[in-house]
Amino acid sequence: MPSAQVLRSLLSPKSVAVVGASDSRFTFSGAPLHNLSVHGFTGSVYPVNPKRDEIGGQECYPSVLDIPEAVETAVITVPAAAVVDVLEQCERRGVLSATVVSAGFGEDGAGPDGQVRQRRLDEWLSGSRLRVLGPNTAGLINLLDDYVPRAAANHLEGSRLRAGSVALFTQSGACSNIVFNRAQANGVGIGVMAATGGECDITVWDLVEHSLHDERVSVVMVVIEALGDPQRIRKVAALAHSLRKPVVLLKLGSSPLGSEVVMTHSGSIAGDEQVARAAFEQWGIVQVDDFDALWQVARLFEAWGAPTGPTGRLGVFAFSGGEAALIADHASDTSLSLPAVSEAFDQNIREVLGFAKAANPFDATGELVGRPEKLVPVLNSFLDDNELTEVLVATPVYRAEAAERVLPQLETLFRDRGDSGPRVAFSMWPAGPLTELQAELLSATGCPVLPDSTRAVHAIDRYSGWLSGLDKPRAAPETAASLSATVPAPRLGATYAEVRDCLRELGMPFAPGGHTTSADEAVAMAREIGFPVVMKGDVSSTMHKAKAGLVAVGVATEDAVRARYSELAALAAAHGGQGVVVEAMVSASLQCFVGARRDPDFGTTLIFGLGGSAAEFLDDTALLVVDEEADVGELLLGTRVGSFIQEEYPKVAMSLTEMLAATAAWFTAEPAVEDVDLNPVMVDVTSGTVTCVDGRVLVREA
């Protein structure tokens, strides 16, 4: 990892060389000099171009080696073929870091020559002490230190930028530009931004870690495409947790599977992207799904600060009954609650307003447009007389005349209130020039202003969920490690009967039954178990037996057992198996799924949810990445079915938790096991019993 000194030289140096510099502000080679000038950089700037004596009145040097003073960092814009030669000169001159703007390395469009250049760059870096941002990056913006060497001019003018406490780091330069400009245009103070481009050396997570140590930064936004090292991410997330600084993440695209595996249920449910999302949630990283959600959530953290107390009790103050209903609909899809209003607020509304009804969401009606003097007392009562932690004031479309008549008093109101009462955000519906004054007047309050009230609700949900997720108990479960160590993994290609015996030894509660290779023995087993029974052709455990016609349910007589045995044994033999498994019929109130997958990046991943033959199609599963802080008990609460069982049938919840804990310990002890499925797990809430009626285990080749 790059040292703090190196990253300081990259992000806030006292001197910089621009290699390949030109005087055209709209080119990659000319933009760095222009941006350094217009944004007021007070350090030393050294243009380097052997074809020029001066650029913009500044002396131009033939090479980095000709610069007379020490240089901390360099911005390199020369053609790709010359980059390594320039880096060698920089290292000889004592430069600590460099931003390589040049493209033409490992990108898909660079072709074979680009791959050769990439290998040369990697080889050179492996033996160098100089550290590199890029290649193929527009670079960075550091408004906190007036250092803007960015090799592009497509960002807002300096007079419209705010150097706030938000940092933004991305892999894609285009993505950084979209988020930076959208955020700044909506009042988010991004103080530091950088794009890592090809990431041959310095990574997004190096920059995130460095910025977390900066006391001027309170929240970090991250956009990634390639995952990188999960353990590195986990370390950075732990640092953010300890410093109580939120990291808001947008992950673009989905990762391919690390290797081809048999598509068991757990493989279907726990895809790479789902596992990454589960890991990020466990580690306290706030996840969003688009560019605007990224800066909207960050704006709440910037304006409100990281929460230290209760959150999630939302009050909605609207000027439209229809919009109030729309907000309530969206709030119902979140973890936010909309508490009922107090008697004091109800009394105030009956005294002040003629047509409004006290409620949450509250529709203030058009009376406040016609009688704007009533807005402040009514809003103050809503804020002070109700037990709320966050309040969204959803304003309609105000043309300039209406905005000027109603909204100026809000600036005084919130200046006088200071930090007292709940956290407040405004929403509005931008309509071009029609609402420009409205946006200006709402921003003057100092409260965050978000376009679109429904998106504002989801941003508040992400804000309030950060603290609850961060402070969950992290006690590791008892994982029956001593038991798991005595149960070896089944052989490669093991049959259902072998897997069943292995999992039963591990403690999984399978239905009574066993394996047989004769019809007479099958009849004897059925008689002992009790009719009716289930019969299964014994084939590889990873085969979907029901789809292959290898399962007979409700076999109720001895003659039926003999007939089914002949059919199933022959079919099993055709699929490379032998014999039949006879099991008791099990009824259940619920069918659940318990499984695990060994993810190539994150390791053991447990899965729980609503089960049955359609498990991977039902939207009620939760994942847990197993590490020393993982709490298996939390996995049940991540699903609707698990929450129901925990609330109503805690004995059943304990049995399921024990199954998950034993599976986690077994995976740790047996690295050859790739996937395991217990589906369905039959839950009888009347008796409080849990019974496995099918199991699959995938073992990888040695």
Side-chain angles (χ1 to χ4, degrees):
M1 291 181 293
S3 67
Q5 179 188 14
V6 166
L7 291 176
R8 278 195 299 271
S9 77
L10 178 76
L11 296 172
S12 55
K14 293 182 173 59
S15 57
V16 55
V18 180
V19 186
S22 74
D23 53 7
S24 176
R25 60 171 291 192
F26 298 109
T27 64
F28 290 134
S29 57
L33 289 179
H34 171 79
N35 286 328
L36 287 165
S37 174
V38 300
H39 288 280
F41 180 59
T42 57
S44 301
V45 180
Y46 302 100
V48 175
N49 188 329
K51 299 179 181 180
R52 301 287 298 270
D53 294 327
E54 61 87 25
I55 295 176
Q58 289 183 277
E59 181 181 359
C60 199
Y61 297 89
S63 77
V64 175
L65 297 174
D66 296 307
I67 299 173
E69 290 85 25
V71 180
E72 288 190 56
T73 193
V75 178
I76 299 174
T77 68
V78 301
V83 164
V84 173
D85 293 337
V86 171
L87 287 172
E88 288 177 342
Q89 294 175 1
C90 287
E91 184 174 42
R92 287 168 58 192
R93 189 65 187 81
V95 176
L96 297 175
S97 62
T99 299
V100 176
V101 176
S102 316
F105 291 86
E107 311 97 294
D108 290 340
D113 290 344
Q115 298 299 322
V116 172
R117 287 191 289 268
Q118 183 69 54
R119 285 194 295 272
R120 185 187 176 203
L121 176 60
D122 291 340
E123 290 171 1
W124 184 84
L125 282 170
S126 68
S128 171
R129 65 180 182 276
L130 186 148
R131 307 307 299 268
V132 168
L133 179 71
N136 190 21
T137 175
L140 63 96
I141 291 175
N142 180 357
L143 299 176
L144 297 176
D145 297 310
D146 300 320
Y147 176 64
V148 183
R150 188 165 183 261
N154 58 340
H155 55 262
L156 293 168
E157 295 299 324
S159 61
R160 299 182 61 187
L161 299 179
R162 184 166 74 83
S165 64
V166 181
L168 168 64
F169 302 114
T170 72
Q171 292 168 334
S172 162
C175 289
S176 71
N177 191 62
I178 292 169
V179 177
F180 181 83
N181 284 311
R182 288 282 292 168
Q184 285 279 1
N186 283 277
V188 182
I190 298 180
V192 180
M193 177 192 82
T196 56
E199 262 191 20
C200 69
D201 185 15
I202 294 172
T203 71
V204 160
W205 298 105
D206 295 331
L207 298 173
V208 172
E209 181 177 31
H210 182 76
S211 70
L212 288 170
H213 287 294
D214 189 334
E215 62 183 14
R216 300 171 298 177
V217 173
S218 65
V219 55
V220 181
M221 298 189 290
V222 183
V223 183
I224 59 172
E225 299 162 73
L227 181 64
D229 178 9
Q231 295 310 310
R232 179 83 172 99
I233 300 173
R234 184 182 174 200
K235 176 185 175 184
V236 174
L239 174 65
H241 181 176
S242 68
L243 297 173
R244 312 299 279 187
K245 293 185 177 184
V247 174
V248 187
L249 172 75
L250 173 60
K251 170 72 170 63
L252 303 175
S254 58
S255 303
L257 289 173
S259 59
E260 186 176 345
V261 298
V262 175
M263 187 55 70
T264 61
H265 284 305
S266 58
S268 302
I269 294 170
D272 289 358
E273 192 65 17
Q274 293 91 331
V275 175
R277 290 184 70 89
F280 295 151
E281 182 175 356
Q282 283 176 233
W283 299 340
I285 295 175
V286 182
Q287 298 172 82
V288 297
D289 295 317
D290 61 51
F291 293 137
D292 281 341
L294 189 73
W295 64 258
Q296 288 165 2
V297 174
R299 175 62 181 132
L300 297 182
F301 281 109
E302 181 193 28
W304 293 347
T308 57
T311 60
R313 294 176 58 84
L314 177 66
V316 177
F317 188 103
F319 294 74
S320 159
E323 185 171 12
L326 180 65
I327 293 171
D329 290 342
H330 279 262
S332 67
D333 293 331
T334 71
S335 60
L336 300 170
S337 65
L338 296 172
V341 296
S342 68
E343 291 185 7
F345 179 67
D346 180 73
Q347 178 65 31
N348 183 280
I349 293 305
R350 283 190 275 112
E351 292 175 356
V352 176
L353 296 179
F355 305 104
K357 179 181 178 181
N360 185 22
F362 173 61
D363 173 17
T365 75
E367 186 173 353
L368 291 186
V369 177
R371 302 289 301 277
E373 71 277 4
K374 294 186 176 184
L375 174 57
V376 167
V378 171
L379 182 54
N380 260 329
S381 177
F382 189 79
L383 298 174
D384 293 335
D385 294 337
N386 298 306
E387 296 182 3
L388 306 168
T389 55
E390 293 83 29
V391 168
L392 174 63
V393 181
T395 63
V397 172
Y398 279 140
R399 64 182 299 159
E401 295 88 341
E404 201 161 24
R405 186 170 64 253
V406 177
L407 301 179
Q409 57 191 313
L410 294 175
E411 180 180 0
T412 302
L413 168 64
F414 284 99
R415 183 178 64 244
D416 293 344
R417 289 185 63 88
D419 295 330
S420 65
R423 309 169 186 96
V424 178
F426 288 93
S427 68
M428 59 174 288
W429 298 91
L434 184 69
T435 54
E436 287 178 351
L437 181 59
Q438 178 181 354
E440 180 182 329
L441 293 173
L442 291 177
S443 297
T445 65
C447 300
V449 181
L450 304 181
D452 181 339
S453 57
T454 56
R455 293 181 64 89
V457 167
H458 292 282
I460 293 170
D461 180 50
R462 294 280 75 201
Y463 172 89
S464 67
W466 176 75
L467 187 62
S468 61
L470 199 65
D471 291 336
K472 282 180 180 177
R474 297 292 178 180
E478 295 181 9
T479 54
S482 60
L483 172 62
S484 68
T486 66
V487 182
R491 66 179 177 85
L492 181 68
T495 67
Y496 170 63
E498 293 171 304
V499 164
R500 184 180 184 277
D501 289 343
C502 172
L503 295 176
R504 287 186 67 198
E505 190 176 355
L506 190 62
M508 304 303 171
F510 273 81
H515 177 262
T516 178
T517 54
S518 76
D520 289 341
E521 190 175 8
V523 169
M525 281 186 179
R527 192 183 299 122
E528 181 180 351
I529 292 170
F531 291 100
V533 295
V534 178
M535 300 178 68
K536 304 172 183 177
D538 191 29
V539 294
S540 170
S541 76
T542 57
M543 181 179 292
H544 200 308
K545 294 181 287 298
K547 286 186 177 180
L550 287 160
V551 179
V553 179
V555 184
T557 67
E558 293 185 7
D559 288 343
V561 169
R562 292 183 187 279
R564 290 288 182 267
Y565 179 86
S566 298
E567 297 169 3
L568 294 172
L571 194 56
H575 285 90
Q578 183 181 25
V580 170
V581 174
V582 181
E583 292 178 330
M585 282 277 291
V586 178
S587 61
S589 314
L590 295 167
Q591 294 185 23
C592 292
F593 175 92
V594 170
R597 175 191 168 203
R598 194 175 300 281
D599 184 83
D601 292 315
F602 292 94
T604 300
T605 304
L606 293 180
I607 309 116
F608 175 80
L610 201 58
S613 59
E616 60 252 46
F617 303 102
L618 297 172
D619 187 22
D620 192 25
T621 55
L623 310 181
L624 181 77
V625 176
V626 177
D627 55 31
E628 63 268 23
E629 295 182 342
D631 186 352
V632 171
E634 286 293 322
L635 186 55
L636 267 67
L637 299 179
T639 65
R640 294 183 294 276
V641 66
S643 298
F644 167 73
I645 292 171
Q646 181 67 64
E647 180 69 24
E648 300 293 334
Y649 306 101
K651 179 182 176 182
V652 173
M654 179 60 70
S655 297
L656 292 169
T657 300
E658 290 172 353
M659 291 174 63
L660 288 162
T663 302
W666 193 48
F667 261 61
T668 302
E670 295 291 338
V673 178
E674 288 287 332
D675 290 82
V676 61
D677 304 308
L678 296 163
N679 181 38
V681 176
M682 312 295 274
V683 176
D684 184 350
V685 297
T686 303
S687 63
T689 58
V690 174
T691 308
C692 303
V693 297
D694 197 10
R696 308 177 187 189
V697 173
L698 175 66
V699 178
R700 66 183 175 188
E701 294 187 37

